[in-house]
């Protein structure tokens, strides 16, 4: 369903040509939970932007559910992002002065058909991440972990083909980070395709498969036989006073 | 409709940032308010012009003794305008329907029994009634025979009737004008108070022009000539002919100043418009400047806003907003701001116009036209100054915006 073939990305600045990605090829099956790992400067953000249809490769093919998105124009890419991809960012990227509910349903605003039951869908999505009692809260009234969970609800609302997370725990304390991982693992069990980009080995090991990038190339593509279990980690952590993290 | 939803996003953003929205709007509010006041004054002035012209007679001219001033009573010290001039105009200027002389004496003393008042004395010919479209309500007007015989008769205005005779019937009664006895043979239709001076038009007494000149005033010059042309389009040309004729007869060659002047509806309109002209110019400058500066401020705030909201734009692009969607949202913000500014500005301007009407004598007419014009300006400014920031927002690359 996700197929990358000979992906290459170069940036040209004057005379200098920087090769950020070269000869990246891999496939991800539906329902897989994959982590893309690498130190900073290895091209993992660029790869994540290409996977998220935010950017186009210089060469190669990227087939997403049968469509080669390399052929699409800006509007076509916007449409693919809207319909097939759910983003979770390190900085949450919630609209300030806007309720959790409105934040969660934002992708529906840009859909071709705005569902009549948009608000119910947003409530359901917030319910899935345990925020049913926070739907009218604004980002500044929520903790970091809660904000990231609103972002996950937003990513889920259009029922995307891929949930794409870029350092989703990077701005969170360890407990909130593990909670987010627990949510990802639960979503994976429910059949979602999840791709996490991270530099953190521990976070990566919550996935079934880890693709390691080095110098813009795939250095390693390994299967994790026994991924870390976020639920178990949570139990092991000292219980926080009610979960405000 | 997706476009409505993206527009709605713009509105939400405005509502969430009231101070920013207010700053974006301020110039438009002031500009539109000034525009509204200008239009109210302009329309008021025009309706006053119309009224004055209507009053004066659209086909009428006045040849008045004494140069200089444009309107107002004739200069009684000028003695060069005579009945011979009137005859000359009748004979030499074609296309005139009525040419009728009139003599003036303001503040003439009127006495009836023990009652004494002051009124304006008018020496007239019978055509005067037609030329001013002002006839008697009771009794008879001045006739040719009255003029020929220097008859001791008069027609009085309704104010004179009221002040001198009270409720009694004045017709057939004898009153004294500056000690000359005249018999009342008619009462004029009531005209009421008119003009900027607020003078009482009905406080007048009409006598045959010969009676006025020989018996009352003892002069051989007249105050003015009322002229009705048969074709209003020819008025400028006829006025010029009359001017040349008078100069020739009075032996005046420029640069010597004329000892007469010709009033026409055009001249009157000019005078009325002149009084509000300065204020209108000032307000127009204010309106233009406010709208321009307001537009530039709006554009600047929007540009800053786009820079500040880069992450927001990136996020919207990431969740599926197209360039058009972003453009629509930001243009909606600018347009809504100017439209709201227009509504507030129109309300403010109308309020100020009403206040001006209450506090001054300036003619003010509040109408819907300024609204239409303001709407046009608001859309124009919102679009003109909103497109650039909206385009910049739409051009942001999502990857760069999210960084």
């Amino acid at each position: 369903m996700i197929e990358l073939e000979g992906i290459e990305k170069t940036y040209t600045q004057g005379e200098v040509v920087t090769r950020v990605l070269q000869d990246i090829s891999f496939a991800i099956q539906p329902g897989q939970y994959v982590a893309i790992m690498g130190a900073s400067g290895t091209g993992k953000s660029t790869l994540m932007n290409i996977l998220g249809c935010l950017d186009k490769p210089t060469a190669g093919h990227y087939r997403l559910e049968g469509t080669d998105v390399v052929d699409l124009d800006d509007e076509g890419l916007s449409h693919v992002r809207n319909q097939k991809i759910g983003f979770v960012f390190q900085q949450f990227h919630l609209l300030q002065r806007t309720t959790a509910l409105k934040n969660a349903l934002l992708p529906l605003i840009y859909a071709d058909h705005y569902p009549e039951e948009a608000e119910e869908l947003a409530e359901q999505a917030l319910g899935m991440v345990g925020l049913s009692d926070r739907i009218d809260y604004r980002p500044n009234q929520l903790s970091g972990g809660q904000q990231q969970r609103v972002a996950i609800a937003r990513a889920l609302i259009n029922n995307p083909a891929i949930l794409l997370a870029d350092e989703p725990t990077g701005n969170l304390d360890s407990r909130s980070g593990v909670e987010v991982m627990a949510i990802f693992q639960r979503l994976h069990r429910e059949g979602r395709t999840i791709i996490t980009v991270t530099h953190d080995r521990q976070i990566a090991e919550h996935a079934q498969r880890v693709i390691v990038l080095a110098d813009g190339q795939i250095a390693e593509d390994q299967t994790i036989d026994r991924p870390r279990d976020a639920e178990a980690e949570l139990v092991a952590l000292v219980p926080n006073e009610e979960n405000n993290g | 409709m997706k476009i409505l939803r993206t527009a709605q996003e713009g509105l939400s953003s405005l509502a969430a940032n009231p101070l920013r929205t207010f700053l974006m709007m301020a110039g438009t509010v002031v500009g539109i308010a000034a525009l509204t006041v200008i239009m109210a004054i302009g329309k008021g002035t025009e309706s006053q012009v119309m009224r004055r012209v209507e009053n004066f007679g659209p086909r009428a001219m006045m040849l008045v003794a004494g140069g200089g001033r444009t309107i107002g009573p004739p200069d009684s010290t000028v003695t060069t305008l005579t009945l011979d001039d009137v005859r000359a105009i009748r004979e030499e200027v074609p296309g005139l329907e009525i040419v009728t002389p009139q003599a003036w004496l303001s503040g003439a003393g009127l006495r009836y029994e023990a009652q004494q008042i002051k009124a304006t004395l008018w020496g007239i010919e019978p055509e005067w009634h037609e030329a001013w479209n002002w006839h008697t309500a009771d009794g008879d007007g001045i006739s040719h025979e009255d003029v020929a015989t220097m008859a001791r008769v008069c027609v009085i205005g309704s104010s004179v009737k009221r002040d001198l005779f009270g409720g009694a019937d004045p017709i057939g009664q004898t009153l004294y004008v500056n000690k000359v006895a005249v018999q009342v043979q008619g009462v004029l239709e009531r005209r009421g108070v008119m003009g900027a001076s607020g003078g009482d038009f009905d406080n007048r007494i009409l006598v045959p022009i010969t009676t006025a000149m020989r018996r009352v005033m003892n002069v051989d010059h007249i105050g003015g000539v009322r002229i009705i042309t048969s074709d209003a389009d020819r008025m400028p040309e006829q006025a010029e002919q009359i001017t040349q004729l008078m100069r020739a007869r009075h032996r005046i060659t420029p640069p010597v100043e004329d000892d007469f002047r010709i009033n026409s509806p055009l001249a009157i309109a000019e005078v009325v418009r002149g009084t509000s002209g300065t204020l209108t110019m000032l307000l127009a400058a204010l309106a233009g400047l406010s709208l321009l500066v307001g537009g530039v401020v709006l554009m600047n705030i929007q540009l800053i806003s786009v820079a500040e909201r880069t992450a927001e734009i990136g996020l919207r692009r990431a969740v599926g907003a197209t360039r058009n969607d972003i453009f629509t949202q930001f243009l909606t913000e600018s347009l809504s701001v100017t439209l709201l500014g227009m509504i507030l500005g129109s309300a403010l301007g109308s309020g100020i116009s009403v206040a001006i009407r209450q506090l001054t004598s300036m003619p003010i007419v509040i109408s819907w036209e300024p609204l239409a014009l303001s709407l046009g300006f608001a859309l124009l400014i919102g679009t003109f100054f909103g497109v650039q920031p909206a385009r910049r927002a739409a051009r942001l690359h999502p990857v760069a915006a999210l960084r």
Side-chain angles (χ1 to χ4, degrees):
Chain A
M1 71 152 354
I2 297 172
E3 218 181 327
L4 273 70
E5 194 186 318
I7 293 289
E8 201 178 301
K9 183 75 180 177
T10 55
Y11 291 105
T12 310
Q13 203 163 33
E15 301 278 292
V16 188
V17 177
T18 317
R19 187 169 292 234
V20 183
L21 292 177
Q22 52 181 320
D23 196 29
I24 304 275
S25 301
F26 61 83
I28 295 175
Q29 299 311 313
Q32 267 195 333
Y33 182 180
V34 180
I36 295 173
M37 245 194 81
S40 59
T42 53
K44 64 182 192 305
S45 291
T46 305
L47 181 57
M48 132 101 196
N49 288 336
I50 289 171
L51 283 170
C53 296
L54 290 165
D55 205 357
K56 279 181 164 192
T58 315
H61 294 283
Y62 170 21
R63 276 181 285 274
L64 177 58
E65 289 189 329
T67 314
D68 193 341
V69 298
V70 172
D71 298 334
L72 297 176
D73 61 3
D74 190 84
E75 197 175 331
L77 289 176
S78 299
H79 192 254
V80 170
R81 290 196 296 272
N82 186 248
Q83 298 297 311
K84 302 197 169 168
I85 295 168
F87 285 99
V88 177
F89 299 99
Q90 181 174 356
Q91 302 92 334
F92 323 142
H93 281 310
L94 297 180
L95 297 183
Q96 300 303 311
R97 307 181 196 222
T98 306
T99 61
L101 188 80
K102 295 277 184 204
N103 265 295
L105 62 72
L106 190 67
L108 299 180
I109 299 280
Y110 299 109
D112 291 333
H113 300 288
Y114 183 73
E116 264 179 52
E117 70 286 6
E119 301 210 344
E120 286 79 13
L121 289 174
E123 276 190 59
Q124 277 174 27
L126 287 166
M128 280 196 266
V129 295
L131 287 176
S132 291
D133 55 344
R134 294 285 190 275
I135 58 170
D136 288 327
Y137 283 50
R138 306 219 156 103
N140 59 0
Q141 300 168 305
L142 298 170
S143 70
Q146 288 169 333
Q147 290 186 53
Q148 191 61 302
R149 282 189 273 154
V150 173
I152 296 170
R154 180 180 63 200
L156 292 174
I157 194 147
N158 52 1
N159 196 22
I162 324 172
L163 183 65
L164 197 57
D166 183 12
E167 299 282 9
T169 60
N171 272 9
L172 299 178
D173 61 79
S174 53
R175 184 183 178 87
S176 303
V178 177
E179 278 170 3
V180 165
M181 285 302 104
I183 291 171
F184 278 16
Q185 287 189 326
R186 179 160 50 78
L187 292 170
H188 169 231
R189 282 196 301 276
E190 288 165 8
R192 297 240 168 235
T193 312
I194 301 173
I195 303 176
T196 312
V197 176
T198 183
H199 69 282
D200 185 339
R201 181 97 217 167
Q202 287 193 11
I203 295 299
E205 283 175 355
H206 288 87
Q208 296 175 290
R209 174 181 171 194
V210 177
I211 297 172
V212 181
L213 287 185
D215 294 330
Q217 286 176 302
I218 296 180
E220 235 184 283
D221 187 346
Q222 55 183 162
T223 307
I224 308 288
D225 295 328
R226 295 181 55 196
R228 286 168 167 268
D229 182 352
E231 295 286 350
E233 287 173 278
L234 269 182
V235 174
L237 278 171
V238 184
N240 228 340
E241 291 169 39
E242 220 344 55
N243 107 47
N244 60 0
Chain B
M1 286 277 285
K2 185 163 151 192
I3 192 162
L4 292 181
R5 297 199 299 275
T6 51
Q8 171 69 37
E9 289 297 295
L11 291 179
S12 306
S13 165
L14 291 179
N17 297 279
L19 181 65
R20 190 184 78 202
T21 306
F22 170 76
L23 288 174
M24 286 166 78
M25 191 168 13
T28 311
V29 173
V30 174
I32 295 293
L35 192 72
T36 306
V37 174
I38 292 171
M39 300 271 293
I41 292 176
K43 200 144 166 73
T45 304
E46 279 318 299
S47 78
Q48 199 179 48
V49 166
M50 292 295 289
R51 221 166 38 238
R52 292 281 289 273
V53 167
E54 193 61 31
N55 217 0
F56 184 79
R59 284 192 295 130
M61 287 184 280
M62 275 297 293
L63 170 62
V64 184
R69 293 164 304 167
T70 322
I71 51 172
D75 186 345
S76 55
T77 64
V78 175
T79 58
T80 47
L81 191 63
T82 63
L83 289 172
D84 287 340
D85 290 329
V86 177
R87 228 161 283 135
I89 293 169
R90 279 181 187 143
E91 281 162 16
E92 293 182 33
V93 181
L96 300 179
E97 203 170 286
I98 302 175
V99 179
T100 181
Q102 47 194 52
W104 267 287
L105 180 61
S106 60
L110 266 51
R111 185 169 68 78
Y112 172 69
E113 293 179 344
Q115 294 291 326
Q116 290 197 34
I117 59 165
K118 298 251 182 233
T120 308
L121 171 78
W122 292 68
I124 64 163
E125 290 186 350
E127 289 80 9
W128 182 94
H129 293 288
E130 186 57 42
W132 289 97
N133 190 26
W134 198 353
H135 303 278
T136 51
D138 287 310
D140 301 319
I142 304 296
S143 70
H144 284 289
E145 204 193 331
D146 294 335
V147 174
T149 59
M150 248 184 281
R152 293 165 178 271
V153 293
C154 72
V155 174
I156 58 175
S158 61
S159 296
V160 172
K161 176 190 170 189
R162 181 194 63 215
D163 296 342
L164 227 43
F165 298 96
D169 182 7
I171 308 258
Q173 303 297 322
T174 299
L175 59 79
Y176 292 86
V177 188
N178 284 7
K179 299 186 178 134
V180 177
V182 286
Q183 192 180 39
V184 180
Q185 65 177 10
V187 179
L188 282 174
E189 293 159 345
R190 196 167 172 281
R191 276 275 162 105
V193 175
M194 276 188 270
S197 55
D200 181 359
F201 271 44
D202 296 315
N203 189 32
R204 65 174 62 204
I205 176 166
L206 313 180
V207 298
I209 191 164
T210 45
T211 313
M213 290 169 71
R214 294 278 161 262
R215 296 188 194 277
V216 184
M217 297 157 71
N218 193 25
V219 293
D220 52 13
H221 62 269
I222 57 174
V225 187
R226 173 79 167 175
I227 298 161
I228 306 290
T229 174
S230 46
D231 180 1
D233 292 339
R234 288 180 61 193
M235 221 151 34
E237 169 202 337
Q238 291 167 333
E240 184 55 29
Q241 284 175 314
I242 294 168
T243 302
Q244 294 305 337
L245 182 62
M246 285 300 112
R247 281 183 185 156
R249 290 182 58 84
H250 296 179
R251 297 191 167 70
I252 293 167
T253 33
V256 176
E257 203 175 291
D258 291 341
D259 60 355
F260 62 92
R261 63 181 193 269
I262 296 173
N263 291 344
S264 65
L266 272 176
I268 286 178
E270 241 168 63
V271 171
V272 178
R273 287 190 186 113
T275 54
S276 63
T278 320
L279 184 64
T280 304
M281 290 281 284
L282 274 171
L283 282 170
L286 176 68
L289 215 63
S290 302
L291 291 176
L292 191 71
V293 171
V296 171
V297 167
L298 176 129
M299 180 162 82
N300 268 297
I301 295 179
Q302 268 301 74
L303 286 173
I304 294 167
S305 172
V306 168
E308 267 180 357
R309 291 155 70 192
T310 301
E312 175 196 326
I313 295 163
L315 172 80
R316 289 182 187 276
R317 295 282 277 128
V319 301
T322 61
R323 288 194 170 132
N324 273 335
D325 294 336
I326 299 295
F327 184 82
T328 302
Q329 176 184 337
F330 278 82
L331 191 61
T332 302
E333 289 184 17
S334 303
L335 277 174
S336 309
V337 159
T338 51
L339 283 177
L340 191 60
M342 171 230 138
I343 293 168
L344 294 180
S346 295
L348 182 66
S350 302
I352 292 172
S353 303
V354 171
I356 290 178
R357 185 164 60 191
Q358 302 291 335
L359 298 175
T360 73
S361 62
M362 206 168 287
I364 295 279
V365 171
I366 292 166
S367 58
W368 60 267
E369 284 102 327
L371 270 180
L373 189 71
S374 301
L375 180 69
F377 266 109
L379 292 174
L380 193 73
I381 290 167
T383 309
F384 187 80
F385 291 102
V387 159
Q388 174 60 19
R391 192 178 289 162
R392 184 174 291 190
R395 276 186 187 159
L396 279 174
H397 193 279
V399 171
L402 282 167
R403 201 172 285 148

